[in-house]
């Protein structure tokens, strides 16, 4: 982004503007999901849209994740441009069959005849004491599935601009949004001309170490980088953004520059995105490394309810700072 | 009522004997004094406990999601009368009432909601995930209809082992729209298992009124599609709920088949603590409040001169102390050491090296 114009905006408002704009731009677009209309959206993202667009375009659906996600896929096949909201990622498993066996496969199984241009939005993430069933970080599960495009909106800018890009895709797109960030206010670049959903982004340049992350890790990593800067360490923060297909080149470029990499995410460490990035670094830029790649992921436990336990089970800013200091043997 | 007799009743209540199988109930709407007071006590206790929970939520002592059962107490209390200690119970995230009526102690529930180690799940479950294996209370499930298939499986296990217990599963009107409900009904009927499916139809699933969720809003009709006996009752009348539940349980025992009981009720409070209630009129809520199950029973007991105003006051007083004791217990509780974070992922024998 090269514009100096910025807008102060909450993450929630950024999401809402994106949905609203999409509804205005294309009459084939409609939003369907549980409580998106009369309730105003479980997290108030779609508040007021029912009044503005009416119940045909802001469709409340009954509790039936498998059913209505399947209906969204059918509507997309039938020429519409549905935005399907799964209230939170935690309930997405009930729709997994539709997503994995239909959305992701129809193009291939039909020999290239059928596109499924459906966009699935899900709020997700941790940090609100919602315990083991309501605090999932399942980006890796979806990033595992060929046929899906998986996006992670770890910044306000992406909350605002990923959806319109996703609606231009001919293939199914899943967008992860982060509930814990909804009320967060940030300055967002006004200029979006160079926006894309193909590339990872360097959110802060640095020369000493690459912190490679996505989602809820992005702002934590930026905070950590700011703290490290006061100690004379210049960390580079890479936001992966696109989890499938992964843009590895941006990560490699960063490693070529810093020669050190710390991979950070909230998802359980085993078989997560960082595991994949780590393997790719070994395969491609191993000789660039001064140190072994290290990872900070979620502790492998169903999320506990109690605040101190929840905090302890996630990588925090302090953990990032400590780990970087250790890696650089900085005192 | 003589003073001595009343004293006995209070003692009876205080002995924490809340399991219904101990008390013989006469059918229909004649109430025995002890039983009438016990029902009143249980409903009042749930109400007060939850009012206190809301207060503690506002004071940020309780966090996460908190779903109140206020207005719906007659369902949990009424149905629980028909169950015995050996029966299995499964419920939703709106389960404080079921847990209390089942006899899980108020202090350990409160401590759980505080996230304290002394809570029934060591602070790992919170309000939505109350479990007590000893009381055969299997949660506390926060995925709508997520527990219905489990309930079918538990009932199947009882059948396979020739056990005489039944499984009772509580869920909302919203859950009836889920595939899991329909799959569970089919399997329960197909396998002919001793399962009592109790739908708490409070007319809303979060902000979605039943008319926006269900093409057929008389939910009891859905039992027919699976060949399951079904009935709908006034869920604001604890005696009617109790009678229907007793009949249902008897039928399950005699036929060995599942039964579908729909209790039409209403939640007086917001869906959870994060709900501006944009989807319904205040006047609608006020109308329903006139059918308050606690006031209704109280009135009936007073009219039939089975209790006096002083009795009710004394009950309130007892409950106030009990609820305060629960809060004190939770406040005094301690946090589980962070070193224990990774416990209970595997049972100890299976813990990987
Ligand atoms: C599978 C699933 N979808 C959505 C939700 C979010 N949610 C929680 S409670 C609820 C409404 C459920 O209504 P109902 O079954 O009638 O129960 P009530 O809350 O009225 O007791 C919704 C949509 C969830 N927890 N699980
Ligand atoms: Mg309901």
């Amino acid at each position: 982004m090269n514009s100096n114009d910025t807008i102060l905006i909450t993450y929630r408002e950024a999401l809402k503007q994106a949905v609203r704009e999409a509804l205005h731009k294309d009459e084939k677009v409609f939003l369907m999901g549980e409580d998106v209309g009369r309730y105003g959206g479980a997290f108030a993202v779609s508040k007021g849209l029912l009044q503005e667009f009416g119940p045909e375009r802001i469709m409340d659906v009954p509790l039936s994740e498998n059913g209505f996600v399947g209906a969204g896929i059918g509507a997309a096949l039938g020429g519409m441009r549905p935005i399907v909201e799964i209230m939170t990622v935690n309930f997405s498993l009930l729709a997994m069959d539709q997503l994995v066996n239909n959305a992701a496969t129809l193009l291939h199984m039909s020999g290239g005849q059928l596109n499924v241009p459906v966009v699935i939005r899900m709020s997700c993430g941790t940090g609100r004491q919602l315990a083991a069933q309501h605090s999932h970080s399942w980006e890796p599960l979806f990033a595992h599935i060929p046929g899906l495009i998986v996006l992670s909106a770890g910044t306000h800018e992406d909350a605002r601009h990923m959806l319109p890009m996703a609606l231009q895709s001919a293939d199914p797109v899943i967008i992860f949004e982060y509930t814990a960030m909804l009320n967060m206010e940030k300055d967002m670049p006004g200029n979006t001309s160079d926006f894309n959903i193909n590339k990872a982004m360097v959110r802060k340049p640095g020369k000493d170490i690459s912190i490679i992350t996505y989602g809820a890790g992005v702002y934590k990593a930026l905070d950590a980088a700011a703290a490290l800067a006061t100690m004379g360490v210049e960390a580079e923060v890479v936001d992966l953004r696109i989890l499938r297909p992964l843009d590895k080149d941006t990560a490699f470029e960063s490693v070529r520059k810093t020669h050190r990499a710390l991979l950070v995410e909230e998802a359980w460490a085993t078989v997560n995105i960082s595991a994949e990035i780590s393997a790719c670094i070994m395969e491609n830029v191993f000789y660039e490394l001064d140190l072994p790649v290290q990872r900070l992921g979620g502790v492998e436990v169903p999320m506990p309810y109690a605040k101190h336990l929840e905090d302890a089970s996630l990588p925090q800013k302090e953990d990032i700072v400590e780990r970087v200091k250790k890696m650089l043997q900085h005192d | 009522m003589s003073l001595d007799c009343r004293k006995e009743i209070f003692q009876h209540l205080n002995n924490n004997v809340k399991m219904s199988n101990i008390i013989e109930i006469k059918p229909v709407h004649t109430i025995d004094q002890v039983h009438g007071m016990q029902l009143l006590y249980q409903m009042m206790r749930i109400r007060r406990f939850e009012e206190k929970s809301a207060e503690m939520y506002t004071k940020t002592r309780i966090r996460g999601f908190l779903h109140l059962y206020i207005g719906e107490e007659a369902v949990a209390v009424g149905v629980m009368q028909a169950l015995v200690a050996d029966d299995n119970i499964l419920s939703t995230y709106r389960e404080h009432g079921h847990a209390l009526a089942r006899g899980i102690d108020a202090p350990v529930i409160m401590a759980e909601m505080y996230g304290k180690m002394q809570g029934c799940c060591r602070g790992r479950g919170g309000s939505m995930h109350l479990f007590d294996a000893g009381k055969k209370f299997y949660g506390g499930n926060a995925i709508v209809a997520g527990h219905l298939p489990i309930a079918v499986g538990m009932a199947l296990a009882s059948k396979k082992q020739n056990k005489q217990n039944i499984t009772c599963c509580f869920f909302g009107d919203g859950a009836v729209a889920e595939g899991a409900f329909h799959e569970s009904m089919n399997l329960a009927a197909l396998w002919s298992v001793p399962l009592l499916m109790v739908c708490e139809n409070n007319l809303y699933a979060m902000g979605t009124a039943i008319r926006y969720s269900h093409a057929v809003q008389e939910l009891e009709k859905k039992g027919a599609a699976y060949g399951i006996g079904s009935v709908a009752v006034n869920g604001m009348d604890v005696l009617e709920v109790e009678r229907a539940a007793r009949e249902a349980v008897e039928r399950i025992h005699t036929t060995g088949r599942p039964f579908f009981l729909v209790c039409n009720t209403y939640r007086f409070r917001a869906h959870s603590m994060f709900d501006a209630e944009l989807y319904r009129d205040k006047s609608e809520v006020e109308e329903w409040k006139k059918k308050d199950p606690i006031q209704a029973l109280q009135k009936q007991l007073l009219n039939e001169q089975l209790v006096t105003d002083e009795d009710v006051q004394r009950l309130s007083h007892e409950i106030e102390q009990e609820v305060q004791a629960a809060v004190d217990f939770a406040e005094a509780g301690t946090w589980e050491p962070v070193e224990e974070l990774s416990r209970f992922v595997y049972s100890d024998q299976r813990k990987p090296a």
Side-chain angles (χ1 to χ4, degrees):
Chain A
M1 301 288 141
N2 37 27
S3 164
N4 292 329
D5 292 336
T6 60
I7 311 158
L8 186 65
I9 193 168
T10 62
Y11 189 87
R12 175 186 287 107
E13 182 59 27
L15 291 172
K16 182 178 178 173
Q17 283 186 10
V19 174
R20 198 164 164 264
E21 180 195 68
L23 286 157
H24 272 300
K25 265 197 171 158
D26 182 352
E27 59 181 35
K28 287 187 173 169
V29 170
F30 67 100
L31 176 69
M32 64 191 289
E34 290 164 11
D35 286 296
V36 295
R38 291 165 186 90
Y39 191 84
F43 306 106
V45 168
S46 51
K47 196 168 161 192
L49 295 184
L50 172 68
Q51 289 70 22
E52 190 175 350
F53 295 100
E56 304 291 320
R57 302 194 67 203
I58 305 293
M59 267 181 67
D60 278 325
V61 301
L63 281 161
S64 46
E65 286 77 8
N66 213 30
F68 74 76
V69 171
I73 292 168
L77 283 170
M80 292 297 286
R81 244 351 197 132
I83 302 171
V84 182
E85 178 178 300
I86 298 179
M87 190 182 279
T88 73
V89 71
N90 309 293
F91 320 133
S92 67
L93 292 195
L94 286 90
M96 207 60 164
D97 181 53
Q98 291 295 329
L99 293 171
V100 177
N101 277 324
N102 291 333
T105 60
L106 288 175
L107 179 65
H108 176 82
M109 289 194 303
S110 69
Q113 295 179 69
L114 295 179
N115 283 110
V116 185
V118 68
V119 175
I120 315 276
R121 295 174 43 235
M122 306 186 208
S123 65
C124 68
T126 60
R128 301 196 310 139
Q129 280 194 264
L130 297 181
Q133 293 184 333
H134 274 73
S135 308
H136 287 295
S137 301
W138 279 336
E139 295 91 328
L141 280 186
F142 290 87
H144 184 64
I145 314 294
L148 300 180
I149 295 170
V150 181
L151 312 181
S152 163
T155 61
H156 289 53
E157 186 185 330
D158 279 347
R160 175 64 183 84
H161 299 300
M162 271 180 167
L163 180 67
M165 301 295 296
L167 284 167
Q168 288 171 33
S169 164
D171 296 318
V173 181
I174 293 176
I175 307 180
F176 285 99
E177 302 165 352
Y178 297 85
T179 317
M181 284 164 38
L182 285 168
N183 292 327
M184 214 185 260
E185 250 189 344
K186 293 271 182 192
D187 280 318
M188 185 180 78
N191 180 358
T192 63
S193 53
D194 57 353
F195 201 81
N196 71 76
I197 51 165
N198 311 314
K199 301 282 294 171
M201 274 175 84
V202 174
R203 297 288 179 195
K204 179 199 164 292
K207 62 172 176 46
D208 296 327
I209 186 165
S210 303
I211 304 175
I212 303 173
T213 186
Y214 66 87
V218 178
Y219 287 136
K220 281 187 191 175
L222 286 170
D223 287 347
L228 286 163
T230 66
M231 305 166 200
V233 175
E234 284 184 52
E236 176 154 294
V237 176
V238 178
D239 176 6
L240 291 168
R241 301 176 64 243
I242 321 303
L243 305 181
R244 175 173 278 274
L246 260 175
D247 166 28
K248 297 159 192 165
D249 290 340
T250 303
F252 297 162
E253 236 167 81
S254 181
V255 170
R256 280 192 197 100
K257 185 164 117 190
T258 65
H259 310 292
R260 301 169 182 97
L262 173 62
L263 316 181
V264 178
E265 69 183 289
E266 292 201 340
W268 291 309
T270 302
V271 201
N272 64 3
I273 304 283
S274 304
E276 178 62 20
I277 292 287
S278 173
C280 293
I281 290 173
M282 300 312 148
E283 284 171 338
N284 295 277
V285 284
F286 178 77
Y287 294 105
E288 293 287 342
L289 290 171
D290 283 348
L291 292 174
V293 170
Q294 295 210 14
R295 287 191 286 161
L296 273 175
V299 175
E300 312 241 357
V301 60
M303 186 64 76
Y305 159 73
K307 175 92 171 80
H308 68 303
L309 294 179
E310 180 178 34
D311 286 346
S313 61
L314 295 167
Q316 306 294 350
K317 173 192 135 190
E318 292 71 19
D319 302 319
I320 302 173
V321 171
E322 279 316 302
R323 186 63 74 90
V324 168
K325 279 166 66 181
K326 228 185 221 165
M327 286 174 75
L328 301 179
Q329 291 179 329
H330 189 286
D331 288 314
Chain B
M1 163 159 53
S2 79
L3 235 167
D4 267 5
C5 168
R6 252 180 264 157
K7 218 174 175 177
E8 225 169 78
I9 293 171
F10 277 111
Q11 229 153 39
H12 187 56
L13 297 175
N14 283 342
N15 282 346
N16 218 353
V17 185
K18 289 156 204 144
M19 294 299 213
S20 57
N21 49 322
I22 294 160
I23 294 153
E24 260 300 304
I25 309 294
K26 293 178 196 115
V28 210
H29 271 145
T30 54
I31 329 169
D32 149 307
Q33 184 183 44
V34 174
H35 186 58
M37 274 190 73
Q38 191 168 31
L39 293 175
L40 186 63
Y41 163 75
Q42 290 194 28
M43 290 198 293
M44 286 171 65
R45 179 168 168 268
I46 294 169
R47 174 82 48 104
R48 191 64 201 120
F49 181 90
E50 287 207 311
E51 286 167 351
K52 197 65 166 184
S53 305
E55 189 185 320
M56 292 304 128
Y57 194 92
T58 310
K59 291 185 178 165
T60 72
R61 307 304 287 162
I62 298 173
R63 297 281 79 197
F65 284 150
L66 182 73
H67 305 88
L68 301 181
Y69 195 57
I70 291 175
E72 306 182 36
E73 295 91 342
V75 180
V77 171
V79 170
M80 221 57 85
Q81 306 311 310
L83 304 178
V84 297
D86 206 28
D87 292 334
N88 303 317
I89 295 164
L90 297 92
S91 187
T92 68
Y93 45 84
R94 198 184 297 288
E95 89 283 36
H96 311 140
H98 309 95
L100 285 166
R102 182 55 168 180
I104 303 179
D105 292 335
V108 299
I109 298 176
M110 190 60 83
E112 185 57 35
M113 297 202 286
Y114 269 59
K116 297 288 178 78
M117 196 163 86
Q118 291 73 17
C120 54
C121 306
R122 301 171 70 96
R124 287 165 188 254
S127 158
M128 300 192 287
H129 308 296
L130 302 173
F131 289 81
D132 186 333
K135 297 263 166 36
K136 300 199 140 209
F137 193 84
Y138 298 96
N141 198 299
I143 299 297
V144 170
H147 56 306
L148 275 59
I150 304 174
V152 176
M154 293 189 85
L156 180 67
S158 294
K159 182 177 174 173
K160 283 189 180 296
Q161 296 167 84
N162 292 318
K163 284 191 179 171
Q164 294 312 303
N165 66 339
I166 72 156
T167 296
C168 177
C169 182
F170 294 91
F171 51 89
D173 48 292
V176 173
E178 288 280 9
F181 166 81
H182 295 275
E183 292 170 24
S184 298
M185 290 285 276
N186 187 45
L187 292 178
L190 193 66
W191 296 339
S192 208
V193 296
L195 176 64
L196 177 58
M197 296 280 266
V198 181
C199 177
E200 307 182 308
N201 177 13
N202 61 13
L203 302 178
Y204 289 90
M206 279 181 65
T208 302
I210 191 167
R211 65 183 175 283
Y212 298 121
S213 271
H214 288 282
V216 174
Q217 290 151 39
E218 299 86 3
L219 300 180
E220 64 281 5
K221 286 186 181 167
K222 296 177 196 272
Y226 304 99
I228 292 182
S230 312
V231 69
V233 298
N234 175 8
M236 305 304 270
D237 179 345
V238 67
L239 296 171
E240 188 174 328
V241 173
E242 176 181 346
R243 192 184 38 168
R246 285 184 179 281
E247 281 174 21
V249 170
E250 201 180 299
R251 219 168 126 164
I252 293 167
H253 281 304
T254 52
T255 63
R257 294 187 58 76
F259 194 84
F260 184 33
L261 174 62
V262 177
C263 300
N264 292 315
T265 180
Y266 198 80
R267 96 175 127 65
F268 294 168
R269 305 282 285 253
H271 165 72
S272 73
M273 304 302 277
F274 304 104
D275 170 9
E277 294 186 76
L278 303 172
Y279 49 83
R280 65 181 185 186
D281 284 341
K282 284 209 169 66
S283 59
E284 179 186 298
V285 182
E286 289 315 309
E287 271 313 299
W288 275 94
K289 280 187 178 167
K290 292 179 190 158
K291 301 174 194 166
D292 187 325
I294 296 178
Q295 278 169 23
L297 180 65
Q298 203 171 296
K299 209 166 131 198
Q300 188 178 350
L301 293 173
L302 286 168
N303 281 349
E304 294 180 23
Q305 296 186 328
L306 293 170
V307 300
T308 65
D309 284 326
E310 294 78 67
D311 290 330
V312 176
Q313 270 168 27
R314 193 161 159 199
L315 274 184
S316 288
H317 182 71
E318 299 267 327
I319 288 166
E320 198 57 43
Q321 287 183 335
E322 195 186 341
V323 170
Q324 190 52 50
V327 169
D328 294 343
F329 180 80
E331 289 283 345
T334 53
W335 306 113
E336 184 167 12
V338 173
E339 295 69 49
E340 303 202 358
L341 172 60
S342 295
R343 282 185 71 188
F344 315 120
V345 180
Y346 299 98
S347 49
D348 286 341
Q349 307 93 293
R350 290 196 45 202
K351 213 170 190 170

